[in-house]
Amino acid sequence: MKAKCIIEKDYSIGDVDPRLFGSFIEHLGRAVYTGIYEPGHPTADAQGFRRDVLDLVKQLQVELVRYPGGNFVSGYQWTDGIGPVDKRPKRLDLAWKSIETNEIGIDEFVDWCRLAGTKVMAAVNLGTGTPAEAANLVEYCNHPGGTAWSDWRRQNGHAEPHGIKLWCLGNEMDGPWQICHLSAEDYGKKALEAAKMMRWVDPGIELVACGSSNSSMPTFPEWDRIVLEYLYEQVDYISLHNYYGRSDVETLGDFLASFHDMDQFIRTVAATADYVKAKKRSHKRLFLSFDEWNVWADRFATYETWDFAKPRLEQIYNLQDALVFGGLLCTLLNNVDRVKIACLAQLVNAIAPLLTEPGGGVIKQAIFYPFQQVSALGRGVVLRPLISSPRYESVYGDVPVLQLSAVYREEEEEVAVFVLNCAQEEAVELSLDFRSFTVVNPLEHMVLTGPDLKAVNSFAEPHKVVPRPLTLPQGDNRLMTVELPSLSWNVLRFKTKK
Ligand code: AHR
């Protein structure tokens, strides 16, 4: 099978916003407790943060971390998580049928983010919570001092404001599973009042409105339209969430084509936002925050007992998941003109690239690698690939066999090409035409592939699914040919001269 792609340095989609490489930690299962935090663990620091986990989080170069939920936030009283730890209440968490000890709250999470070299994207409770409580949280975090809330933060050991810039106005409020789920109208009104108060406290913050929980919601995209009619001028972003499951579709080809479904979702939300813009005669362009995305197979588990730090949503990712995941990353890159923020949901243990053992080690799951590669090499200008590839029929319609994204880092004089090859039977011979560059030299071709699509990394065999080097593309300077194995995720690096 053959395919061609022209990579032109002047045809750009846009600059990658580093916040495209965000992630998410929720008070959920073992994400916080025995995930990032485990006092007494051999690697724990004085605050109880696992340094082995921190080291791997740093390898992912995560730009921001959404916190504390997720479904959890819609029943969370943030004041439970501040002040002396031994005085903090234990509560029932209705979202995940868990006991929440509140050992970690906003102050500790900010400390953890500093250690991890990342920033907080905070979510406020618009389920059981009120606009006033949301504004109080902004004041606690961001006001310098001299008021009850800000002085409370200072007493709790943080003299300097946390300076949290990005705030989500609730979580998935369109979902009947959400604590105090709302209609679009009711959410629009409540979020509008919260947004006004939060911005009055700190005019420097950016706000994300809750868009639809996924593209299969019966209320999609009406929810988004109605919500934006209330909030268009008050918010900076609308959120998108979507998870792609092997069990949601019938065939491997359909699962691999998830990248196309994500692309359609992004386009529909952008079109909805633009419709509201036109209706309001607004000059403002609304951007998108894809603040929950991942591959996730078993979304509808239920739990019988009230547990503390027990496994919840601990998906073990296999090679096939990692391929789909790579395709989704390309879609995010190819929409950087609209998608400014994206959060891989989540970061540790719960549907995550990192898996820990309480008291034990931590491993990199298969999806760790595509994220790490794109986060390291994908911060530049996304070029619009002119691709001609064989196509196949999927549940999402006709899709190309290759999902490809190219990022140019001018300062480093490098182009990275990321390609998912969905062809199941044969390799694809891809000719890459760098006609607008003067010199192009191949540096590296890393590939994630293998005979067993169900292969996983485990504590016993942590390196079963890892990228491996392949022979470099062959060719004459600006015209290269590269062989992409069937069912593979490929990362190609080229040294370039303008
Ligand atoms: O990430 C897991 C859950 O998925 C989140 O809590 C929720 O927002 C979504 O439905």
Side-chain angles (χ1 to χ4, degrees), residues 66 121-125 166-170 198 206-209 291:
R66 186 165 173 258
M121 175 189 201
V124 298
N125 174 356
L166 193 58
W167 295 80
C168 303
L169 295 166
M198 291 164 75
E206 290 193 308
L207 296 173
V208 186
D291 46 46

Side-chain angles (χ1 to χ4, degrees), residues 372-384:
Q372 182 188 30
Q373 291 168 319
V374 179
S375 177
L377 303 171
R379 296 171 192 239
V381 179
V382 184
L383 303 179
R384 191 175 296 285

Side-chain angles (χ1 to χ4, degrees), residues 93-109:
D93 160 29
L94 305 184
W96 298 107
K97 195 152 190 171
S98 298
I99 309 272
E100 175 55 54
T101 61
N102 286 301
E103 285 161 81
I104 295 291
I106 188 66
D107 290 327
E108 291 80 16
F109 192 70

Side-chain angles (χ1 to χ4, degrees), residues 469-495:
L470 272 192
T471 46
L472 290 179
Q474 302 300 307
D476 177 16
N477 192 8
R478 289 172 297 166
L479 216 52
M480 305 277 169
T481 304
V482 56
E483 184 161 299
L484 309 171
S486 62
L487 295 172
S488 62
W489 163 251
N490 301 267
V491 177
L492 297 137
R493 283 174 56 214
F494 299 91
K495 193 82 191 159

